[in-house]
Amino acid sequence: MLLIWCAVLILACLELSTRVGTAPICSYGQAGCHTPSLADIFDRVIQQSSRMHGISSDLHSEFEQYFFPSKNLIGKPKCHTHGIVTPADKENAQRLGREQLTEVILRLLGAWGDPLLQLYRSMSQDQNQDFNHYSSNKALEISDMVHELRDGVAKMAEKMKLSGVLGNTVGYISPEGLVPSSSFSFYKHGELNSMDHHDLLYCFRRDSNKIKNYLQILKCTTLPGLDC
Amino acid sequence: MYPGPTSPVNRLHKSVSSVRSSGSRQWTQHGQNTEGETESFCQLKARLCGATMKKVLEVILLLLLLVVTHAKGTRYSPPGKPALTRCRSPEKETFTCWWEPGSDGGLPTTYALYYRKESSDTVFECPDYRTAGENSCFFNKNDTSIWVNYNITVVATNALGRTFSDPVDIDVVYIVKPNPPEQVAVTVMEDKGWPFIRVSWEPPHKADTRSGWITLIYEIRVKLEEENDWEMHLAGQQKMFNIFSLRSGGKYLVQVRCKPDHGYWSEWSPSSYVKVPDYFHREKSVWILITVFCAFIFLILTWLLHMNSRSLKHFLLPPVPGPKIKGFDKQLLKNGKSEEVFSALVATDFPPKSSNYEDLLVEYLEVYIPEEQELMLEKSMDLDVGCLKCEGSASDSDSGRGSCDSHTLLMHKCDGVKEEEERQAKEARRHQKDWKEEASTYAHVDVSPDMSSGRVKTWPSVFSPLPRYTSNQQGSLEMAKQHYLSDSLFPTSSTSSYHTQPGHGTTEAHGPGYWECGLSNKQPHLLHPQAQAQRQLQARSDDNISSIGRKQTPAGLHSPARRSTEYVEVERVNEEDMVLLQPVSGRCGDVEGYPEMPYGEDYSKVKGVDMDNMLLLQREVREETENCDTSSTVTTTQKPAACIHSAMPVEGEMVLGVNGYVDTATVCTPPTY
């Protein structure tokens, strides 16, 4: 009996301690919240994008290794985000400026929300058993990450605007407005074949790399520090 | 598919190949000019002639070539298939591709690299074959696009043919391999007396980490010069690293390399050497200090132990207690002679002859009873009575039989002899005193412990069986009474005082008086039928005893040695059947004209010692009787001095031995007889 009471007490203490330990981060600057600094936000965002790229890279390599050994038979796919003009080298990226760069990032992130979800659904319902359980989980993970990252970058943009680093030309871009409707026609809703899976993974791998790189450029131009 | 190069050599090759493989559709003959059909016939003829001429010439040349080669004995073949080995970008702004040429087929072979960008059909040739060395193609910044897929092919061409390599798709982002870090600086620093190595470096100058275009992570490896195993350390994005746990006096090699987030590791930087200074001295001094300190403490502990060795030994190994037997000689035991040892244990002076009667609970009262009486008494004895059964014997009164040890033995069976003696003695004593006192003594159970100097023992149990015995023959009861009486009446101290010790004070003389007084004090409590019965019994028994005593007194009281026990002798039995007791000493036996007993040993009660160290023996019984009478009502704690002398009946009927062995119980009560 005594043991049970002790266990209950210990559990209660642990729960309390864990609760007390977490300090919520309020991005809207509510009273009593600990608002993170811009550097913290940058770090978090960059970490998130790096992780996202890593997962997508793993997915793509798995796919290519097991399902598409002869990759040269098929021509390189055309991504649905080709419409978004992205700087292809350093000079162009630097020439673009912070505002536009931020906008590009947001556009890219916005363009991938739905397709990734579609990809996940398609992978999990895969009739051909092309994907195993872990791959579909990864797809779900990156799908979630894209959404989180978009919100994070938006908040970061807000903070930058507040601190005067960013001009006001960057507005919150809704996903519908970013991607032309024609891009959705790329993929048949609810029915993606293996080709489509491959194309999606290929395209997203690249785009996530772009996002990460742009964010790093943004950080180092905004906050030059030890890491840059 | 590919744009036709404009060099004449290629054109020739193309034409030749087209001649050889007329059916081949691989090559589109872009370079050939197509002519219009409106020209004149003559011109057309001339042209045709010229073309055919050229063709013929080429064929001849070729044949010659073939002949020549055939004549020389070597085979010519078109070039082997080249292969793109790798493409690398050092800073994600330019990149280089290397290929491996195949066999050249014996003919001079040229290589060309063609590439096509993603979502464009334009084929471009490598802009720079030289910068990167042999069999390489360098793409400068203008030609490099990131996040764009390049499709690259290498073509090997010789006189006999051209061979295409397998195309390769690359994205510059994934082929980044930076240069090794630069400006690697290794210094030895100190942290609280312990040295460590600080390694610092710079990213390769080409990689633009400052703008965030490239993010590099670093790795360091260290080893001793003479060792073979490297110690790896991942440093992350920092450009400085500390290495601890160094061997003093060792020479270390340090190398650094870097890698972008998703790319290839760079080559290791050139080794940097560093020598760690000797810090052994400092270590040594500390150890010396510690050793000295420990030795010092050890010395102190040893000295302390030595000082307290004995007490410590006692604490740890307590000595075994040896036997403490008086007269026991350990040495004898060790020698192994058990006989001697045990003989030594036999105490020669046992029973102790010391005058310290306080240690003994034994009361001696030897009474000699003639055989007839003995038998009577014996018959009346009950087993329940216990010690009351004493075998009678006609031996002298002083044979030592008269001791039944302590009063407690009264309740237990013991040797008959002793009890008998005691009984006899008691009888004699009793008759010397007032019978009433005796009865009162018997009846009164609770004698206070303090009475008579605390020498009188209290035996509540002793007296309890008394009522039982009323039904028994009078003899047994009498015995009991007498027995009890004697025990109560003869406190151990008093016995000694009787004897004579001139040096004793009056207090000792009071000894016998104690019980007398006590007895007298008890008298008033006797008002109950038992007492009456007792008295009656006493009276009867008195007869017996007195009669016994009369006859036997001479013999009975012939105690050979004067002992510390009290002995009385029965002088005679008077007319009233009373036993007149007389102290054996006979010195004071002037009471009522009784003749003195012609015995060597006299027992008399010492009243006191006067100035001249003379023993005063009690005589004046009568007078004392009155005193005792008056004092009979006094509490038991009354000082017995007043009743030193035994109370005697005023009547004088009981002419007891003057010398004071009086039964106070009988004295102080009005005589019923």
Side-chain angles (χ1 to χ4, degrees):
Chain A
M1 191 63 198
L2 192 64
L3 281 172
I4 292 165
W5 276 112
C6 286
V8 166
L9 273 170
I10 288 164
L11 281 170
C13 286
L14 280 171
E15 206 190 350
L16 280 170
S17 67
T18 52
R19 278 201 202 140
V20 168
T22 57
I25 306 259
C26 313
S27 52
Y28 300 112
Q30 291 106 314
C33 291
H34 163 68
T35 54
S37 65
L38 190 62
D40 292 338
I41 295 177
F42 261 120
D43 285 337
R44 286 191 202 192
V45 160
I46 288 167
Q47 270 180 26
Q48 182 88 326
S49 66
S50 180
R51 210 164 142 247
M52 192 172 70
H53 173 68
I55 296 169
S56 70
S57 194
D58 292 340
L59 264 177
H60 177 261
S61 59
E62 271 176 37
F63 197 82
E64 283 222 323
Q65 191 177 355
Y66 294 115
F67 302 111
F68 275 25
S70 54
K71 50 189 170 181
N72 287 331
L73 285 172
I74 306 150
K76 287 301 156 189
K78 204 161 178 139
C79 297
H80 73 283
T81 53
H82 72 279
I84 303 168
V85 176
T86 56
D89 53 24
K90 188 177 81 174
E91 286 78 15
N92 290 338
Q94 283 173 334
R95 219 177 292 142
L96 210 57
R98 285 188 221 127
E99 293 82 2
Q100 279 177 305
L101 205 57
T102 313
E103 200 175 322
V104 164
I105 293 165
L106 286 167
R107 277 188 181 201
L108 282 168
L109 286 166
W112 276 105
D114 276 341
L116 281 175
L117 212 55
Q118 253 186 317
L119 176 69
Y120 164 65
R121 282 197 211 110
S122 176
M123 279 169 80
S124 55
Q125 294 161 9
D126 190 28
Q127 306 298 328
N128 302 335
Q129 298 293 319
D130 286 338
F131 299 97
N132 58 9
H133 183 63
Y134 300 108
S135 299
S136 60
N137 278 349
K138 280 184 188 168
L140 179 65
E141 202 175 343
I142 56 177
S143 169
D144 292 336
M145 278 168 140
V146 157
H147 288 96
E148 286 170 14
L149 200 59
R150 198 180 65 181
D151 294 336
V153 172
K155 288 195 178 94
M156 185 190 78
E158 288 297 320
K159 198 151 179 93
M160 282 167 79
K161 277 187 206 170
L162 284 170
S163 53
V165 178
L166 206 64
N168 282 330
T169 56
V170 182
Y172 187 73
I173 301 151
S174 62
E176 289 76 21
L178 280 174
V179 181
S181 57
S182 60
S183 64
F184 280 109
S185 60
F186 264 75
Y187 311 108
K188 303 155 207 169
H189 288 262
E191 282 194 30
L192 295 171
N193 53 14
S194 297
M195 194 87 72
D196 296 326
H197 293 156
H198 172 262
D199 291 347
L200 272 171
L201 288 172
Y202 175 85
C203 292
F204 183 67
R205 180 183 175 219
R206 179 196 289 176
D207 283 345
S208 60
N209 198 311
K210 278 186 190 175
I211 290 161
K212 184 182 83 167
N213 213 339
Y214 296 153
L215 281 168
Q216 277 168 345
I217 294 166
L218 202 60
K219 181 200 168 186
C220 286
T221 53
T222 312
L223 304 166
L226 289 169
D227 295 339
C228 296
Chain B
M1 197 181 202
Y2 285 90
T6 53
S7 62
V9 174
N10 293 333
R11 214 183 285 152
L12 179 62
H13 285 161
K14 270 204 296 198
S15 57
V16 166
S17 62
S18 66
V19 165
R20 284 172 65 81
S21 55
S22 56
S24 163
R25 301 248 178 240
Q26 283 183 335
W27 291 94
T28 55
Q29 310 196 5
H30 297 276
Q32 282 186 350
N33 297 329
T34 51
E35 289 181 329
E37 291 177 3
T38 52
E39 291 178 9
S40 64
F41 179 73
C42 284
Q43 285 174 340
L44 193 66
K45 224 184 196 177
R47 267 180 166 234
L48 276 168
C49 284
T52 51
M53 279 290 289
K54 278 182 193 171
K55 279 185 187 174
V56 167
L57 269 167
E58 282 173 4
V59 169
I60 291 164
L61 269 170
L62 193 62
L63 282 166
L64 273 169
L65 212 62
L66 279 169
V67 168
V68 166
T69 54
H70 194 71
K72 278 190 182 175
T74 55
R75 281 208 149 239
Y76 293 111
S77 63
K81 194 176 185 181
L84 275 164
T85 51
R86 64 193 180 102
C87 296
R88 289 287 180 263
S89 167
E91 75 286 83
K92 211 159 78 173
E93 292 167 42
T94 64
F95 72 102
T96 312
C97 283
W98 291 269
W99 66 83
E100 185 67 35
S103 66
D104 58 353
L107 296 166
T109 318
T110 57
Y111 298 91
L113 187 140
Y114 301 100
Y115 68 90
R116 197 168 67 88
K117 280 190 177 181
E118 171 186 333
S119 67
S120 166
D121 292 329
T122 318
V123 180
F124 298 95
E125 193 181 352
C126 171
D128 190 343
Y129 288 102
R130 286 196 185 83
T131 311
E134 194 72 28
N135 297 328
S136 71
C137 179
F138 175 75
F139 295 80
N140 59 11
K141 281 190 190 180
N142 298 331
D143 297 326
T144 309
S145 301
I146 316 298
W147 301 299
V148 171
N149 195 51
Y150 281 77
N151 193 306
I152 298 170
T153 317
V154 175
V155 178
T157 315
N158 67 1
L160 296 174
R162 52 170 37 174
T163 319
F164 290 87
S165 68
D166 292 328
V168 166
D169 286 309
I170 57 157
D171 195 334
V172 177
V173 160
Y174 302 114
I175 58 163
V176 181
K177 180 181 174 179
N179 293 329
E182 294 161 6
Q183 299 176 30
V184 178
V186 180
T187 51
V188 178
M189 305 186 79
E190 207 173 282
D191 172 42
K192 293 170 192 167
W194 300 97
F196 66 93
I197 290 174
R198 172 163 288 180
V199 189
S200 64
W201 59 87
E202 289 298 314
H205 67 278
K206 280 189 189 171
D208 187 5
T209 53
R210 208 155 270 274
S211 66
W213 181 242
I214 279 187
T215 309
L216 295 171
I217 58 171
Y218 303 95
E219 196 180 32
I220 299 145
R221 70 176 186 181
V222 188
K223 83 172 174 94
L224 278 163
E225 197 177 17
E226 54 270 15
E227 299 280 325
N228 288 330
D229 297 326
W230 288 93
E231 186 182 317
M232 312 294 280
H233 299 280
L234 196 67
Q237 286 183 354
Q238 63 199 38
K239 298 184 188 65
M240 183 257 295
F241 195 78
N242 297 328
I243 298 170
F244 299 91
S245 302
L246 302 169
R247 196 184 298 182
S248 76
K251 193 171 183 188
Y252 285 91
L253 273 77
V254 180
Q255 288 180 329
V256 193
R257 68 174 182 180
C258 57
K259 173 176 103 82
D261 300 357
H262 304 273
Y264 300 95
W265 279 106
S266 71
E267 294 297 326
W268 287 105
S269 66
S271 295
S272 300
Y273 292 89
V274 66
K275 186 170 189 312
V276 180
D278 296 329
Y279 58 91
F280 183 68
H281 303 294
R282 208 175 299 125
E283 274 184 349
K284 199 180 187 181
S285 66
V286 168
W287 281 113
I288 286 168
L289 207 67
I290 288 169
T291 312
V292 166
F293 187 66
C294 284
F296 186 61
I297 291 204
F298 180 70
L299 278 169
I300 288 174
L301 281 172
T302 313
W303 179 74
L304 277 170
L305 265 172
H306 184 256
M307 285 289 124
N308 297 336
S309 61
R310 205 178 325 116
S311 62
L312 199 71
K313 214 196 304 179
H314 276 276
F315 177 71
L316 288 173
L317 307 166
V320 177
K324 287 182 190 162
I325 303 169
K326 211 190 314 185
F328 189 75
D329 191 0
K330 268 193 275 187
Q331 284 303 119
L332 281 175
L333 187 68
K334 283 178 189 171
N335 294 338
K337 296 174 187 173
S338 59
E339 293 170 359
E340 291 174 8
V341 167
F342 293 124
S343 67
L345 282 174
V346 175
T348 53
D349 59 346
F350 188 82
K353 293 181 186 149
S354 65
S355 61
N356 191 12
Y357 274 96
E358 295 177 7
D359 294 334
L360 297 173
L361 298 175
V362 176
E363 296 291 337
Y364 293 99
L365 180 65
E366 192 168 298
V367 175
Y368 185 70
I369 299 170
E371 278 211 42
E372 301 92 314
Q373 290 293 337
E374 255 180 340
L375 289 167
M376 279 178 66
L377 293 169
E378 278 173 4
K379 282 174 204 167
S380 65
M381 274 298 194
D382 222 19
L383 277 173
D384 294 342
V385 179
C387 282
L388 295 179
K389 219 168 207 164
C390 293
E391 291 174 33
S393 65
S395 61
D396 57 315
S397 64
D398 214 7
S399 62
R401 294 172 294 161
S403 59
C404 229
D405 287 337
S406 66
H407 59 275
T408 53
L409 286 176
L410 288 172
M411 304 313 296
H412 306 286
K413 293 182 187 174
C414 64
D415 288 350
V417 175
K418 287 188 184 171
E419 290 162 2
E420 182 205 22
E421 301 288 347
E422 198 170 308
R423 185 170 46 81
Q424 289 171 358
K426 283 169 195 166
E427 287 179 14
R429 289 293 296 252
R430 192 175 57 76
H431 287 293
Q432 206 175 359
K433 312 290 188 255
D434 189 6
W435 303 114
K436 290 174 191 172
E437 290 176 351
E438 194 177 5
S440 68
T441 307
Y442 294 146
H444 191 74
V445 177
D446 346 42
V447 177
S448 77
D450 289 342
M451 78 163 270
S452 65
S453 77
R455 289 303 174 183
V456 178
K457 310 287 189 272
T458 61
W459 311 296
S461 58
V462 167
F463 288 102
S464 57
L466 267 176
R468 268 197 292 158
Y469 301 130
T470 53
S471 58
N472 296 341
Q473 293 181 12
Q474 64 175 31
S476 61
L477 179 60
E478 198 175 7
M479 294 308 134
K481 283 192 237 170
Q482 286 160 358
H483 212 76
Y484 299 147
L485 173 63
S486 68
D487 279 349
S488 65
L489 296 181
F490 291 95
T492 52
S493 61
S494 61
T495 55
S496 58
S497 64
Y498 273 107
H499 284 296
T500 63
Q501 283 128 18
H504 289 223
T506 52
T507 50
E508 292 188 11
H510 295 329
Y514 294 157
W515 60 265
E516 289 170 349
C517 265
L519 293 169
S520 65
N521 287 337
K522 289 176 225 163
Q523 260 190 334
H525 304 283
L526 279 182
L527 303 170
H528 47 78
Q530 282 179 1
Q532 298 285 335
Q534 284 164 9
R535 274 183 234 122
Q536 285 170 0
L537 288 166
Q538 278 171 4
R540 270 178 253 133
S541 62
D542 291 343
D543 296 338
N544 299 331
I545 289 168
S546 60
S547 61
I548 294 162
R550 203 181 223 178
K551 293 167 192 172
Q552 302 292 338
T553 40
L557 300 178
H558 206 311
S559 37
R562 171 172 289 196
R563 301 203 314 225
S564 52
T565 57
E566 296 166 358
Y567 292 99
V568 295
E569 59 185 30
V570 178
E571 198 180 53
R572 66 175 176 89
V573 177
N574 65 358
E575 300 77 13
E576 286 81 10
D577 292 338
M578 279 195 259
V579 174
L580 298 175
L581 298 174
Q582 183 187 348
V584 177
S585 62
R587 228 191 304 155
C588 305
D590 291 336
V591 178
E592 295 171 9
Y594 284 120
E596 290 185 7
M597 290 299 153
Y599 296 120
E601 288 103 29
D602 297 335
Y603 293 92
S604 62
K605 188 157 70 175
V606 177
K607 178 179 136 193
V609 180
D610 67 357
M611 310 297 180
D612 302 329
N613 289 338
M614 285 182 62
L615 279 171
L616 301 172
L617 301 171
Q618 289 181 350
R619 294 187 193 183
E620 298 81 12
V621 175
R622 282 195 200 180
E623 295 163 4
E624 293 151 1
T625 305
E626 290 171 0
N627 292 338
C628 278
D629 279 334
T630 53
S631 63
S632 64
T633 55
V634 180
T635 58
T636 57
T637 54
Q638 176 194 0
K639 201 176 177 185
C643 299
I644 289 172
H645 310 295
S646 55
M648 288 182 60
V650 181
E651 298 84 349
E653 291 171 353
M654 294 177 61
V655 180
L656 304 177
V658 172
N659 298 325
Y661 288 99
V662 177
D663 186 4
T664 53
T666 54
V667 166
C668 295
T669 54
T672 53
Y673 28 81

